[in-house]
Amino acid sequence: MQQATAAVINAVQSGTASSTGNGTVSVAITPVNPAKAFLIFQTRDISDRTPGFMLRGRINGAGTAVEFVRVTDENNSIDIQWYVAEFSSGVSVQRGEVTQSNATLNVPISAVAATNQAFVTWSKTPAATDSGFSSDDPILGVLTSTSNLQFRANAANNNHTIAWQVVEFTNAADINVQTGSTALMGATSSVDVALGTAVNTARTFVLAGYR
């Protein structure tokens, strides 16, 4: 019989960083186990070109730093606020990077227990010479099965790289992930989507992507 271990958080680290041009910004952190930790970040910038406001983030393989990678021909500043959450038990994290070689891109992963026990985060970099925000830039990411991560854009671009994380809660009692899709058509500014199962809003968060 397989033993289920409840999710127990070990620590959350946070900080700020700044990217001022092409290359990788590395920020040292208190070492974490990369298989039990995940990164969340947000950015602020002044550019209207994708190389000026897009970057990808990751925890390095040793778990000793967070890295923010930029592919750009600009030298404007991107301000970054980041968080790293590490769990001592009950959470397993897979990560990787993949080239956006197809408009629909399937990435094999080690099987998770169930798709309602895992969620996906991602970030990406475009080509350095991209002139504007277009159909190959925004993407959707979803677990289409327990062993397949799928990214969907409206166009492929071999110069775009996606960094991804699959965060799995190994004890089914700790989490219930619901997923779905909708559309905003024409001048519509908002849309309501009914959940299959009602949630406690004080214990729930939303992740969204778009294309």
Side-chain angles (χ1 to χ4, degrees), residues 15-180:
T16 59
S18 181
S19 169
T20 57
N22 189 64
T24 301
V25 174
S26 181
V27 182
I29 60 173
T30 301
V32 298
N33 181 347
K36 296 182 178 180
F38 63 91
L39 167 69
I40 293 177
F41 69 95
Q42 55 189 329
T43 62
R44 180 178 65 176
D45 62 86
I46 61 171
S47 178
D48 61 356
R49 291 182 61 233
T50 52
F53 66 77
M54 296 180 72
L55 51 75
R56 63 186 194 269
R58 63 196 181 199
I59 299 173
N60 72 353
T64 57
V66 289
E67 298 175 340
F68 300 99
V69 182
R70 193 166 166 199
V71 179
T72 185
D73 56 6
E74 293 197 3
N75 58 6
N76 66 296
S77 179
I78 298 178
D79 297 326
I80 306 160
Q81 172 71 60
W82 59 265
Y83 301 86
V84 172
E86 182 188 24
F87 288 75
S88 55
S89 64
V91 168
S92 178
V93 182
Q94 302 178 56
R95 58 176 49 80
E97 294 189 344
V98 65
T99 300
Q100 192 176 312
S101 55
N102 291 291
T104 298
L105 183 65
N106 291 303
V107 182
I109 62 170
S110 297
V112 298
T115 55
N116 67 353
Q117 289 178 224
F119 60 86
V120 183
T121 70
W122 66 89
S123 55
K124 63 174 286 188
T125 50
T129 55
D130 275 9
S131 59
F133 196 65
S134 57
S135 62
D136 60 356
D137 291 310
I139 55 172
L140 297 173
V142 64
L143 291 174
T144 57
S145 74
T146 56
S147 58
N148 189 70
L149 167 60
Q150 185 176 92
F151 291 106
R152 298 195 298 269
N154 281 335
N157 192 319
N158 284 317
N159 293 311
H160 289 208
T161 302
I162 305 164
W164 57 266
Q165 301 174 120
V166 173
V167 182
E168 176 191 10
F169 282 66
T170 56
N171 181 17
D174 286 337
I175 193 169
N176 180 35
V177 177
Q178 302 182 59
T179 61

Side-chain angles (χ1 to χ4, degrees), residues 3-19:
Q3 183 178 1
T5 304
V8 177
I9 195 161
N10 181 43
V12 176
Q13 303 179 56
S14 64
T16 59
S18 181
S19 169

